[in-house]
Every structure is written in C-alpha cells, then in structure tokens.
PDB file of all heavy atoms in Angstrom:
ATOM      1  N   THR C  96     141.530  15.664-148.766  1.00  0.00           N
ATOM      2  CA  THR C  96     141.692  15.709-147.309  1.00  0.00           C
ATOM      3  C   THR C  96     143.105  16.224-147.018  1.00  0.00           C
ATOM      4  O   THR C  96     144.030  15.420-146.874  1.00  0.00           O
ATOM      5  CB  THR C  96     141.492  14.323-146.703  1.00  0.00           C
ATOM      6  OG1 THR C  96     142.326  13.382-147.379  1.00  0.00           O
ATOM      7  CG2 THR C  96     140.056  13.878-146.839  1.00  0.00           C
ATOM      8  N   PRO C  97     143.308  17.526-146.972  1.00  0.00           N
ATOM      9  CA  PRO C  97     144.635  18.113-146.840  1.00  0.00           C
ATOM     10  C   PRO C  97     145.282  17.815-145.480  1.00  0.00           C
ATOM     11  O   PRO C  97     145.045  18.496-144.500  1.00  0.00           O
ATOM     12  CB  PRO C  97     144.428  19.591-147.057  1.00  0.00           C
ATOM     13  CG  PRO C  97     142.972  19.831-146.710  1.00  0.00           C
ATOM     14  CD  PRO C  97     142.241  18.545-147.013  1.00  0.00           C
ATOM     15  N   LEU C  98     146.048  16.752-145.429  1.00  0.00           N
ATOM     16  CA  LEU C  98     146.673  16.270-144.207  1.00  0.00           C
ATOM     17  C   LEU C  98     147.591  17.331-143.560  1.00  0.00           C
ATOM     18  O   LEU C  98     148.453  17.859-144.217  1.00  0.00           O
ATOM     19  CB  LEU C  98     147.453  15.005-144.523  1.00  0.00           C
ATOM     20  CG  LEU C  98     148.097  14.209-143.383  1.00  0.00           C
ATOM     21  CD1 LEU C  98     147.036  13.660-142.470  1.00  0.00           C
ATOM     22  CD2 LEU C  98     148.943  13.077-143.957  1.00  0.00           C
ATOM     23  N   ASN C  99     147.310  17.596-142.288  1.00  0.00           N
ATOM     24  CA  ASN C  99     148.121  18.514-141.492  1.00  0.00           C
ATOM     25  C   ASN C  99     148.049  19.984-141.942  1.00  0.00           C
ATOM     26  O   ASN C  99     148.932  20.772-141.608  1.00  0.00           O
ATOM     27  CB  ASN C  99     149.581  18.053-141.436  1.00  0.00           C
ATOM     28  CG  ASN C  99     149.767  16.761-140.659  1.00  0.00           C
ATOM     29  OD1 ASN C  99     149.421  16.661-139.503  1.00  0.00           O
ATOM     30  ND2 ASN C  99     150.250  15.728-141.361  1.00  0.00           N
ATOM     31  N   CYS C 100     147.021  20.291-142.704  1.00  0.00           N
ATOM     32  CA  CYS C 100     146.829  21.683-143.147  1.00  0.00           C
ATOM     33  C   CYS C 100     145.770  22.396-142.348  1.00  0.00           C
ATOM     34  O   CYS C 100     145.579  23.606-142.470  1.00  0.00           O
ATOM     35  CB  CYS C 100     146.413  21.729-144.648  1.00  0.00           C
ATOM     36  SG  CYS C 100     147.693  21.055-145.758  1.00  0.00           S
ATOM     37  N   GLY C 101     144.960  21.639-141.584  1.00  0.00           N
ATOM     38  CA  GLY C 101     143.826  22.165-140.904  1.00  0.00           C
ATOM     39  C   GLY C 101     144.088  23.445-140.096  1.00  0.00           C
ATOM     40  O   GLY C 101     143.400  24.469-140.291  1.00  0.00           O
ATOM     41  N   PRO C 102     145.034  23.431-139.185  1.00  0.00           N
ATOM     42  CA  PRO C 102     145.276  24.622-138.336  1.00  0.00           C
ATOM     43  C   PRO C 102     145.622  25.863-139.162  1.00  0.00           C
ATOM     44  O   PRO C 102     145.118  26.953-138.887  1.00  0.00           O
ATOM     45  CB  PRO C 102     146.437  24.196-137.433  1.00  0.00           C
ATOM     46  CG  PRO C 102     146.311  22.727-137.329  1.00  0.00           C
ATOM     47  CD  PRO C 102     145.839  22.261-138.709  1.00  0.00           C
ATOM     48  N   GLN C 103     146.480  25.718-140.190  1.00  0.00           N
ATOM     49  CA  GLN C 103     146.865  26.867-140.995  1.00  0.00           C
ATOM     50  C   GLN C 103     145.699  27.400-141.793  1.00  0.00           C
ATOM     51  O   GLN C 103     145.495  28.629-141.897  1.00  0.00           O
ATOM     52  CB  GLN C 103     147.986  26.488-141.970  1.00  0.00           C
ATOM     53  CG  GLN C 103     149.302  26.107-141.281  1.00  0.00           C
ATOM     54  CD  GLN C 103     150.347  25.758-142.321  1.00  0.00           C
ATOM     55  OE1 GLN C 103     150.872  26.628-143.009  1.00  0.00           O
ATOM     56  NE2 GLN C 103     150.666  24.466-142.438  1.00  0.00           N
ATOM     57  N   LEU C 104     144.908  26.513-142.363  1.00  0.00           N
ATOM     58  CA  LEU C 104     143.753  26.939-143.170  1.00  0.00           C
ATOM     59  C   LEU C 104     142.688  27.541-142.252  1.00  0.00           C
ATOM     60  O   LEU C 104     142.005  28.507-142.672  1.00  0.00           O
ATOM     61  CB  LEU C 104     143.191  25.783-143.949  1.00  0.00           C
ATOM     62  CG  LEU C 104     144.124  25.220-145.046  1.00  0.00           C
ATOM     63  CD1 LEU C 104     143.490  24.044-145.742  1.00  0.00           C
ATOM     64  CD2 LEU C 104     144.462  26.303-146.058  1.00  0.00           C
ATOM     65  N   ARG C 105     142.570  27.041-141.050  1.00  0.00           N
ATOM     66  CA  ARG C 105     141.573  27.601-140.115  1.00  0.00           C
ATOM     67  C   ARG C 105     141.938  29.057-139.781  1.00  0.00           C
ATOM     68  O   ARG C 105     141.098  29.924-139.719  1.00  0.00           O
ATOM     69  CB  ARG C 105     141.523  26.750-138.856  1.00  0.00           C
ATOM     70  CG  ARG C 105     140.403  27.124-137.902  1.00  0.00           C
ATOM     71  CD  ARG C 105     140.195  26.057-136.840  1.00  0.00           C
ATOM     72  NE  ARG C 105     141.293  25.946-135.926  1.00  0.00           N
ATOM     73  CZ  ARG C 105     142.036  24.829-135.821  1.00  0.00           C
ATOM     74  NH1 ARG C 105     141.784  23.776-136.558  1.00  0.00           N
ATOM     75  NH2 ARG C 105     143.047  24.748-134.967  1.00  0.00           N
ATOM     76  N   VAL C 106     143.223  29.288-139.583  1.00  0.00           N
ATOM     77  CA  VAL C 106     143.692  30.678-139.278  1.00  0.00           C
ATOM     78  C   VAL C 106     143.501  31.558-140.499  1.00  0.00           C
ATOM     79  O   VAL C 106     143.013  32.710-140.392  1.00  0.00           O
ATOM     80  CB  VAL C 106     145.168  30.639-138.836  1.00  0.00           C
ATOM     81  CG1 VAL C 106     145.705  32.061-138.724  1.00  0.00           C
ATOM     82  CG2 VAL C 106     145.301  29.935-137.469  1.00  0.00           C
ATOM     83  N   LEU C 107     143.885  31.050-141.663  1.00  0.00           N
ATOM     84  CA  LEU C 107     143.759  31.829-142.887  1.00  0.00           C
ATOM     85  C   LEU C 107     142.295  32.255-143.132  1.00  0.00           C
ATOM     86  O   LEU C 107     142.031  33.401-143.526  1.00  0.00           O
ATOM     87  CB  LEU C 107     144.266  30.998-144.068  1.00  0.00           C
ATOM     88  CG  LEU C 107     144.100  31.642-145.456  1.00  0.00           C
ATOM     89  CD1 LEU C 107     144.994  32.888-145.586  1.00  0.00           C
ATOM     90  CD2 LEU C 107     144.414  30.639-146.566  1.00  0.00           C
ATOM     91  N   LEU C 108     141.366  31.342-142.866  1.00  0.00           N
ATOM     92  CA  LEU C 108     139.963  31.594-143.137  1.00  0.00           C
ATOM     93  C   LEU C 108     139.225  32.190-141.911  1.00  0.00           C
ATOM     94  O   LEU C 108     138.020  32.359-141.943  1.00  0.00           O
ATOM     95  CB  LEU C 108     139.257  30.301-143.573  1.00  0.00           C
ATOM     96  CG  LEU C 108     139.830  29.695-144.852  1.00  0.00           C
ATOM     97  CD1 LEU C 108     139.188  28.346-145.125  1.00  0.00           C
ATOM     98  CD2 LEU C 108     139.659  30.635-146.047  1.00  0.00           C
ATOM     99  N   GLN C 109     140.006  32.459-140.851  1.00  0.00           N
ATOM    100  CA  GLN C 109     139.480  33.116-139.661  1.00  0.00           C
ATOM    101  C   GLN C 109     138.332  32.308-139.035  1.00  0.00           C
ATOM    102  O   GLN C 109     137.321  32.865-138.634  1.00  0.00           O
ATOM    103  CB  GLN C 109     139.041  34.547-139.971  1.00  0.00           C
ATOM    104  CG  GLN C 109     140.160  35.421-140.504  1.00  0.00           C
ATOM    105  CD  GLN C 109     139.723  36.834-140.827  1.00  0.00           C
ATOM    106  OE1 GLN C 109     138.629  37.275-140.471  1.00  0.00           O
ATOM    107  NE2 GLN C 109     140.564  37.579-141.556  1.00  0.00           N
ATOM    108  N   ARG C 110     138.523  31.002-138.958  1.00  0.00           N
ATOM    109  CA  ARG C 110     137.525  30.168-138.335  1.00  0.00           C
ATOM    110  C   ARG C 110     137.894  29.980-136.834  1.00  0.00           C
ATOM    111  O   ARG C 110     139.065  29.960-136.470  1.00  0.00           O
ATOM    112  CB  ARG C 110     137.433  28.798-139.025  1.00  0.00           C
ATOM    113  CG  ARG C 110     137.110  28.828-140.496  1.00  0.00           C
ATOM    114  CD  ARG C 110     135.944  29.715-140.820  1.00  0.00           C
ATOM    115  NE  ARG C 110     134.765  29.395-139.990  1.00  0.00           N
ATOM    116  CZ  ARG C 110     133.756  30.217-139.777  1.00  0.00           C
ATOM    117  NH1 ARG C 110     133.785  31.457-140.256  1.00  0.00           N
ATOM    118  NH2 ARG C 110     132.718  29.830-139.048  1.00  0.00           N
ATOM    119  N   PRO C 111     136.886  29.787-135.964  1.00  0.00           N
ATOM    120  CA  PRO C 111     137.165  29.630-134.530  1.00  0.00           C
ATOM    121  C   PRO C 111     137.819  28.290-134.228  1.00  0.00           C
ATOM    122  O   PRO C 111     137.829  27.365-135.046  1.00  0.00           O
ATOM    123  CB  PRO C 111     135.757  29.732-133.899  1.00  0.00           C
ATOM    124  CG  PRO C 111     134.807  29.322-134.993  1.00  0.00           C
ATOM    125  CD  PRO C 111     135.460  29.797-136.275  1.00  0.00           C
ATOM    126  N   ALA C 112     138.354  28.202-132.988  1.00  0.00           N
ATOM    127  CA  ALA C 112     139.132  27.036-132.586  1.00  0.00           C
ATOM    128  C   ALA C 112     138.285  25.772-132.485  1.00  0.00           C
ATOM    129  O   ALA C 112     138.821  24.650-132.527  1.00  0.00           O
ATOM    130  CB  ALA C 112     139.810  27.295-131.269  1.00  0.00           C
ATOM    131  N   ASN C 113     136.984  25.879-132.367  1.00  0.00           N
ATOM    132  CA  ASN C 113     136.118  24.704-132.251  1.00  0.00           C
ATOM    133  C   ASN C 113     135.822  24.034-133.601  1.00  0.00           C
ATOM    134  O   ASN C 113     135.139  23.031-133.671  1.00  0.00           O
ATOM    135  CB  ASN C 113     134.798  25.065-131.549  1.00  0.00           C
ATOM    136  CG  ASN C 113     133.910  25.980-132.403  1.00  0.00           C
ATOM    137  OD1 ASN C 113     134.417  26.976-132.970  1.00  0.00           O
ATOM    138  ND2 ASN C 113     132.637  25.679-132.485  1.00  0.00           N
ATOM    139  N   GLU C 114     136.347  24.641-134.677  1.00  0.00           N
ATOM    140  CA  GLU C 114     136.110  24.074-136.016  1.00  0.00           C
ATOM    141  C   GLU C 114     137.365  23.393-136.517  1.00  0.00           C
ATOM    142  O   GLU C 114     138.456  23.944-136.430  1.00  0.00           O
ATOM    143  CB  GLU C 114     135.657  25.165-136.994  1.00  0.00           C
ATOM    144  CG  GLU C 114     134.316  25.763-136.653  1.00  0.00           C
ATOM    145  CD  GLU C 114     133.779  26.723-137.693  1.00  0.00           C
ATOM    146  OE1 GLU C 114     134.471  26.952-138.717  1.00  0.00           O
ATOM    147  OE2 GLU C 114     132.687  27.262-137.495  1.00  0.00           O
ATOM    148  N   LYS C 115     137.211  22.178-137.021  1.00  0.00           N
ATOM    149  CA  LYS C 115     138.320  21.397-137.563  1.00  0.00           C
ATOM    150  C   LYS C 115     138.012  21.059-139.017  1.00  0.00           C
ATOM    151  O   LYS C 115     136.917  20.567-139.332  1.00  0.00           O
ATOM    152  CB  LYS C 115     138.512  20.080-136.771  1.00  0.00           C
ATOM    153  CG  LYS C 115     138.607  20.286-135.248  1.00  0.00           C
ATOM    154  CD  LYS C 115     139.841  21.012-134.825  1.00  0.00           C
ATOM    155  CE  LYS C 115     139.938  21.098-133.316  1.00  0.00           C
ATOM    156  NZ  LYS C 115     141.101  21.909-132.842  1.00  0.00           N
ATOM    157  N   LEU C 116     138.997  21.266-139.910  1.00  0.00           N
ATOM    158  CA  LEU C 116     138.798  21.025-141.312  1.00  0.00           C
ATOM    159  C   LEU C 116     138.659  19.531-141.572  1.00  0.00           C
ATOM    160  O   LEU C 116     139.539  18.749-141.169  1.00  0.00           O
ATOM    161  CB  LEU C 116     139.962  21.578-142.117  1.00  0.00           C
ATOM    162  CG  LEU C 116     139.884  21.389-143.631  1.00  0.00           C
ATOM    163  CD1 LEU C 116     138.675  22.126-144.207  1.00  0.00           C
ATOM    164  CD2 LEU C 116     141.165  21.875-144.303  1.00  0.00           C
ATOM    165  N   LEU C 117     137.576  19.131-142.250  1.00  0.00           N
ATOM    166  CA  LEU C 117     137.332  17.726-142.544  1.00  0.00           C
ATOM    167  C   LEU C 117     137.599  17.422-144.005  1.00  0.00           C
ATOM    168  O   LEU C 117     138.160  16.375-144.361  1.00  0.00           O
ATOM    169  CB  LEU C 117     135.914  17.351-142.163  1.00  0.00           C
ATOM    170  CG  LEU C 117     135.573  15.883-142.216  1.00  0.00           C
ATOM    171  CD1 LEU C 117     136.336  15.097-141.167  1.00  0.00           C
ATOM    172  CD2 LEU C 117     134.061  15.661-141.984  1.00  0.00           C
ATOM    173  N   LEU C 118     137.182  18.321-144.894  1.00  0.00           N
ATOM    174  CA  LEU C 118     137.270  18.047-146.344  1.00  0.00           C
ATOM    175  C   LEU C 118     137.369  19.338-147.119  1.00  0.00           C
ATOM    176  O   LEU C 118     136.861  20.399-146.709  1.00  0.00           O
ATOM    177  CB  LEU C 118     135.990  17.305-146.763  1.00  0.00           C
ATOM    178  CG  LEU C 118     136.031  16.509-148.064  1.00  0.00           C
ATOM    179  CD1 LEU C 118     137.011  15.333-147.972  1.00  0.00           C
ATOM    180  CD2 LEU C 118     134.618  15.944-148.377  1.00  0.00           C
ATOM    181  N   LEU C 119     138.120  19.263-148.216  1.00  0.00           N
ATOM    182  CA  LEU C 119     138.266  20.401-149.123  1.00  0.00           C
ATOM    183  C   LEU C 119     137.831  19.950-150.509  1.00  0.00           C
ATOM    184  O   LEU C 119     138.386  18.993-151.062  1.00  0.00           O
ATOM    185  CB  LEU C 119     139.723  20.887-149.141  1.00  0.00           C
ATOM    186  CG  LEU C 119     140.057  22.236-149.812  1.00  0.00           C
ATOM    187  CD1 LEU C 119     141.459  22.709-149.428  1.00  0.00           C
ATOM    188  CD2 LEU C 119     139.930  22.191-151.323  1.00  0.00           C
ATOM    189  N   LEU C 120     136.850  20.636-151.087  1.00  0.00           N
ATOM    190  CA  LEU C 120     136.328  20.275-152.397  1.00  0.00           C
ATOM    191  C   LEU C 120     136.524  21.408-153.393  1.00  0.00           C
ATOM    192  O   LEU C 120     135.916  22.455-153.266  1.00  0.00           O
ATOM    193  CB  LEU C 120     134.829  19.949-152.304  1.00  0.00           C
ATOM    194  CG  LEU C 120     134.385  18.803-151.370  1.00  0.00           C
ATOM    195  CD1 LEU C 120     132.881  18.685-151.412  1.00  0.00           C
ATOM    196  CD2 LEU C 120     135.055  17.494-151.765  1.00  0.00           C
ATOM    197  N   PRO C 121     137.380  21.211-154.412  1.00  0.00           N
ATOM    198  CA  PRO C 121     137.403  22.171-155.522  1.00  0.00           C
ATOM    199  C   PRO C 121     136.213  21.836-156.403  1.00  0.00           C
ATOM    200  O   PRO C 121     135.952  20.668-156.724  1.00  0.00           O
ATOM    201  CB  PRO C 121     138.716  21.827-156.220  1.00  0.00           C
ATOM    202  CG  PRO C 121     138.975  20.405-155.923  1.00  0.00           C
ATOM    203  CD  PRO C 121     138.386  20.138-154.555  1.00  0.00           C
ATOM    204  N   VAL C 122     135.443  22.839-156.801  1.00  0.00           N
ATOM    205  CA  VAL C 122     134.191  22.599-157.515  1.00  0.00           C
ATOM    206  C   VAL C 122     134.158  23.358-158.827  1.00  0.00           C
ATOM    207  O   VAL C 122     134.452  24.554-158.877  1.00  0.00           O
ATOM    208  CB  VAL C 122     132.969  22.997-156.649  1.00  0.00           C
ATOM    209  CG1 VAL C 122     131.683  22.876-157.429  1.00  0.00           C
ATOM    210  CG2 VAL C 122     132.918  22.126-155.395  1.00  0.00           C
ATOM    211  N   GLY C 123     133.785  22.653-159.921  1.00  0.00           N
ATOM    212  CA  GLY C 123     133.681  23.320-161.209  1.00  0.00           C
ATOM    213  C   GLY C 123     133.335  22.321-162.295  1.00  0.00           C
ATOM    214  O   GLY C 123     132.898  21.184-162.036  1.00  0.00           O
ATOM    215  N   TYR C 124     133.569  22.754-163.530  1.00  0.00           N
ATOM    216  CA  TYR C 124     133.367  21.887-164.699  1.00  0.00           C
ATOM    217  C   TYR C 124     134.711  21.246-165.045  1.00  0.00           C
ATOM    218  O   TYR C 124     135.759  21.835-164.853  1.00  0.00           O
ATOM    219  CB  TYR C 124     132.882  22.683-165.902  1.00  0.00           C
ATOM    220  CG  TYR C 124     131.610  23.460-165.664  1.00  0.00           C
ATOM    221  CD1 TYR C 124     131.617  24.857-165.553  1.00  0.00           C
ATOM    222  CD2 TYR C 124     130.368  22.800-165.552  1.00  0.00           C
ATOM    223  CE1 TYR C 124     130.447  25.580-165.355  1.00  0.00           C
ATOM    224  CE2 TYR C 124     129.195  23.513-165.351  1.00  0.00           C
ATOM    225  CZ  TYR C 124     129.242  24.892-165.260  1.00  0.00           C
ATOM    226  OH  TYR C 124     128.086  25.594-165.051  1.00  0.00           O
ATOM    227  N   PRO C 125     134.704  20.040-165.598  1.00  0.00           N
ATOM    228  CA  PRO C 125     135.953  19.432-166.022  1.00  0.00           C
ATOM    229  C   PRO C 125     136.532  20.131-167.256  1.00  0.00           C
ATOM    230  O   PRO C 125     135.795  20.658-168.085  1.00  0.00           O
ATOM    231  CB  PRO C 125     135.576  17.991-166.348  1.00  0.00           C
ATOM    232  CG  PRO C 125     134.117  18.029-166.643  1.00  0.00           C
ATOM    233  CD  PRO C 125     133.545  19.153-165.821  1.00  0.00           C
ATOM    234  N   LYS C 126     137.876  20.189-167.347  1.00  0.00           N
ATOM    235  CA  LYS C 126     138.506  20.710-168.557  1.00  0.00           C
ATOM    236  C   LYS C 126     138.150  19.801-169.742  1.00  0.00           C
ATOM    237  O   LYS C 126     137.824  18.622-169.582  1.00  0.00           O
ATOM    238  CB  LYS C 126     140.017  20.746-168.397  1.00  0.00           C
ATOM    239  CG  LYS C 126     140.511  21.834-167.442  1.00  0.00           C
ATOM    240  CD  LYS C 126     142.052  21.829-167.426  1.00  0.00           C
ATOM    241  CE  LYS C 126     142.589  23.002-166.565  1.00  0.00           C
ATOM    242  NZ  LYS C 126     144.052  23.028-166.535  1.00  0.00           N
ATOM    243  N   LYS C 127     138.199  20.355-170.933  1.00  0.00           N
ATOM    244  CA  LYS C 127     137.865  19.608-172.126  1.00  0.00           C
ATOM    245  C   LYS C 127     138.790  18.396-172.323  1.00  0.00           C
ATOM    246  O   LYS C 127     138.365  17.370-172.885  1.00  0.00           O
ATOM    247  CB  LYS C 127     137.909  20.494-173.353  1.00  0.00           C
ATOM    248  CG  LYS C 127     136.790  21.570-173.355  1.00  0.00           C
ATOM    249  CD  LYS C 127     136.855  22.434-174.623  1.00  0.00           C
ATOM    250  CE  LYS C 127     135.697  23.440-174.587  1.00  0.00           C
ATOM    251  NZ  LYS C 127     135.707  24.339-175.784  1.00  0.00           N
ATOM    252  N   ASP C 128     140.034  18.514-171.873  1.00  0.00           N
ATOM    253  CA  ASP C 128     140.983  17.410-172.031  1.00  0.00           C
ATOM    254  C   ASP C 128     141.189  16.650-170.726  1.00  0.00           C
ATOM    255  O   ASP C 128     142.190  15.955-170.548  1.00  0.00           O
ATOM    256  CB  ASP C 128     142.341  17.922-172.552  1.00  0.00           C
ATOM    257  CG  ASP C 128     142.926  18.993-171.609  1.00  0.00           C
ATOM    258  OD1 ASP C 128     142.245  19.450-170.669  1.00  0.00           O
ATOM    259  OD2 ASP C 128     144.114  19.355-171.822  1.00  0.00           O
TER     260      ASP C 128
END
C-alpha cells in the first residue's frame, strides 16, 4: 500500500482523476533463496 504515492502513480499510468490507487501487487515466483 504505497502511502502518498497515489497521485504520482496515477499520473504516470495516465489514469483519470476518479481513480484512486488502493493496492500495488508485485506478482511472480519466489526466488530460490
């Protein structure tokens, strides 16, 4: 939950003003270690 990053990420991803970032999930396989 990237605190206080919502507005910047919204602009970066070109999302409209009615959208607010709620959650960010990095997705993949775990490293072997």
Side-chain angles (χ1 to χ4, degrees):
T96 51
L98 186 64
N99 293 300
C100 298
Q103 294 181 72
L104 293 178
R105 188 167 66 243
V106 171
L107 175 67
L108 300 174
Q109 300 180 13
R110 302 312 307 160
N113 66 314
E114 295 186 359
K115 309 293 183 183
L116 180 63
L117 189 65
L118 200 64
L119 191 166
L120 301 178
V122 174
Y124 303 109
K126 288 184 175 180
K127 292 181 179 179
D128 58 351

